[in-house]
Amino acid sequence: MGVIENLLAVIVVLGLLITFHEYGHFWVARRCGVKVLRFSVGFGKPLWSRVDRHGTEFAVAAIPLGGYVKMLDEREGPVAPEEQAQAFNRKSVWARIAIVSAGPLANFLLAFVAYWALFVYGTTTVAPVIGDIAADSPAAKGGLQSGQEIVAVEGEHTPSWGDVNLKLVAAIGANGELEVTTRDSETASQERHRVPVNDWLVRQDPPRPLATLGVTPWRPELPAVLGEVLDDGRAQQAGLQSGDRIVSVDGVAVEDWMAFVERVRDNPGKTLALRVERDGERRDVELTPATREQEDGAAMGYIGVGVQTTEWPERYRREIRYGPLDAIGEAVSKTGEMSLLTLDSIRKMLVGLISPSNLSGPVTIARIAGDSARNGVESFISFLAYLSISLGVLNLLPIPVLDGGHLVYYLIEAVRGRPVPEAVQAFGLRIGVALVGSLMLMALYFDLMRL
């Protein structure tokens, strides 16, 4: 069932992103007087199509990994004299720049609308209150203490752990100190800490900002009670059910959920004797955790269960909500912040600060899309917005075959007063196809390595 949900989620996500991107090109092309021959979501043989009164074919094709808008263009075939004024190549360089730019801009607009809707609707998050501090860690050296709430990193407000992680990831490669501002839960007084760092998170795969900082988030005590039990997982195969409370493992009492997780994680492939309480009755169950290899090569146990959710105390909950007008500014700020973070991450990957293995392809996108859909509308919309921004940024990179490569050619044309020679464009196209193809193969390879 999880695979089907992931597939449906990724079809919805990619379908929306591709449609918005291509509609940006389409809408501006029409406004500039260019005849659009085909608007296709997906590549390959059309599964569905229709032609509108303007002669444009709208199609949904079999391979949902992209899309395109085909415009009338004399470089791609003969054009009737009466239609030449509607050809893309006959338009001014500024009209062509507008048409090419419109796709990525549509992705940024989609992200803005998604963030605006989230800010107006309101989201409830967990305050980033510190649970434990690892001894001799950067956090300990910086004077952070258990019970403090992290309210800012490098001067940027952090109302949630997600924001803390984003700010810490944005500092990849930092040397010297990170400024972390905390608030005391009792006195509400704030304190600035100078946390020493050296080659911060460089080439970590994946980056582990909180663990590297030495901070464990505060969590309410979680009893060892099962929540979701995945189909065909080792827990289901052993007969465990949602709502079961784990009393002991191999005769040793289980105090809380994390104690149970540690016993499972540390015993891959070994049969464990569980005592389980269900509906007031206790029963014995034998459970053998599956073996899952971590990225460092170490083996860990996995049984396919989640913990039963528990209510967080009100003082640890934060609601983020804005009025419709205030949400506009917040959405613009969030879209800009995530765009710069994406661009900076690409730069750091090129200079070697971030491992290329952090590249994600369709498999990882499908998994994250499915997980975010299961975690609720807020999570799904946030993921959609970030992926839309990533698509917009990537398409603006100055690589021939991408929108950014075409923009470079047209900007050069605007400066020199004549088009870049066709031979140069054709050569650049071959290089661009090779680069993009290599990146896609790398992303797919790292996807498969994560399975």
Side-chain angles (χ1 to χ4, degrees):
M1 189 64 179
V3 174
I4 295 175
E5 290 177 347
N6 289 354
L7 183 60
L8 290 174
V10 77
I11 288 174
V12 171
V13 168
L14 291 181
L16 279 172
L17 298 186
I18 294 167
T19 300
F20 264 82
H21 181 93
E22 299 304 334
Y23 187 78
H25 293 309
F26 168 80
W27 190 86
V28 175
R30 280 266 181 97
R31 282 2 179 228
C32 290
V34 175
K35 183 175 182 177
V36 179
L37 303 178
R38 174 181 283 184
F39 182 116
S40 178
V41 176
F43 297 115
K45 184 178 180 180
L47 301 175
W48 171 90
S49 69
R50 75 173 184 86
V51 178
D52 71 358
R53 61 187 179 88
H54 299 286
T56 301
E57 178 189 8
F58 293 86
V60 177
I63 305 174
L65 296 179
Y68 61 93
V69 170
K70 184 178 181 180
M71 291 171 272
L72 192 67
D73 195 317
E74 292 175 296
R75 296 169 300 179
E76 297 182 7
V79 176
E82 65 271 16
E83 292 188 323
Q84 288 179 354
Q86 300 179 68
F88 176 80
N89 63 291
R90 291 285 183 119
K91 298 301 177 181
S92 72
V93 66
W94 298 110
R96 282 176 277 144
I97 287 174
I99 293 169
V100 171
S101 303
L105 291 178
N107 287 122
F108 294 125
L109 178 61
L110 175 60
F112 162 78
V113 172
Y115 284 132
W116 178 86
L118 281 178
F119 287 135
V120 171
Y121 177 76
T123 59
T124 300
T125 187
V126 174
V129 176
I130 299 172
D132 294 318
I133 299 290
D136 202 36
S137 64
K141 294 175 182 177
L144 274 72
Q145 299 178 15
S146 177
Q148 292 177 329
E149 179 180 348
I150 300 176
V151 296
V153 174
E154 292 292 280
E156 297 288 335
H157 184 48
T158 53
S160 70
W161 280 116
D163 292 299
V164 172
N165 274 304
L166 280 176
K167 299 299 185 284
L168 292 175
V169 167
I172 287 177
N175 287 288
E177 295 178 331
L178 290 178
E179 181 184 288
V180 178
T181 305
T182 62
R183 178 167 55 214
D184 187 275
S185 58
E186 300 295 331
T187 64
S189 61
Q190 294 191 3
E191 180 180 358
R192 292 184 179 180
H193 305 264
R194 299 291 179 180
V195 178
V197 295
N198 182 40
D199 289 337
W200 174 248
L201 301 178
V202 170
R203 298 192 68 81
Q204 279 194 13
D205 180 24
R208 299 177 295 277
L210 290 181
T212 306
L213 190 66
V215 168
T216 301
W218 183 92
R219 292 184 177 88
E221 291 187 8
L222 293 175
V225 178
L226 305 186
E228 182 183 13
V229 179
L230 299 182
D231 293 340
D232 298 324
R234 292 297 176 90
Q236 187 191 62
Q237 293 171 9
L240 294 175
Q241 300 177 10
S242 177
D244 287 349
R245 184 174 73 87
I246 310 301
V247 178
S248 65
V249 177
D250 290 339
V252 179
V254 173
E255 296 179 357
D256 56 23
W257 175 255
M258 291 309 300
F260 177 57
V261 169
E262 289 176 8
R263 294 301 301 274
V264 170
R265 185 177 56 201
D266 296 341
N267 290 280
K270 178 183 176 182
T271 300
L272 304 174
L274 273 59
R275 177 153 291 182
V276 177
E277 183 177 290
R278 180 186 301 164
D279 299 328
E281 297 182 0
R282 295 192 174 187
R283 61 190 69 195
D284 294 325
V285 174
E286 287 191 345
L287 173 68
T288 305
T291 301
R292 174 176 285 184
E293 187 174 315
Q294 300 183 82
E295 292 167 354
D296 59 3
M300 63 176 287
Y302 176 77
I303 61 172
V305 297
V307 64
Q308 189 177 77
T309 57
T310 185
E311 287 294 324
W312 283 73
E314 189 63 32
R315 65 192 182 99
Y316 289 103
R317 300 171 67 181
R318 300 287 185 272
E319 185 177 32
I320 303 173
R321 186 191 302 271
Y322 298 93
L325 292 179
D326 290 337
I328 293 175
E330 294 295 329
V332 169
S333 176
K334 185 69 172 179
T335 303
E337 176 189 4
M338 299 305 292
S339 300
L340 291 175
L341 177 62
T342 302
L343 190 61
D344 192 48
S345 297
I346 294 172
R347 179 189 68 81
K348 289 177 178 177
M349 190 173 293
L350 292 175
V351 300
L353 295 178
I354 297 178
S355 171
S357 57
N358 285 290
L359 282 171
S360 296
V363 177
T364 298
I365 291 172
R367 178 177 57 79
I368 297 176
D371 289 344
S372 63
R374 284 187 287 271
N375 290 335
V377 175
E378 295 174 12
S379 179
F380 184 74
I381 292 179
S382 293
F383 173 69
L384 175 70
Y386 178 64
L387 200 59
S388 188
I389 287 171
S390 298
L391 182 61
V393 171
L394 289 173
N395 267 282
L396 286 175
L397 294 179
I399 299 175
V401 83
L402 298 179
D403 294 332
H406 294 297
L407 284 175
V408 170
Y409 290 145
Y410 297 147
L411 289 172
I412 292 174
E413 179 181 344
V415 172
R416 49 194 307 263
R418 59 184 184 276
V420 175
E422 291 290 336
V424 174
Q425 294 190 44
F427 179 71
L429 179 64
R430 289 194 292 272
I431 294 176
V433 169
L435 284 173
V436 173
S438 299
L439 286 173
M440 291 180 66
L441 288 174
M442 284 178 61
L444 182 58
Y445 169 76
F446 291 127
D447 269 357
L448 297 176
M449 293 296 291
R450 296 185 188 105
L451 295 179

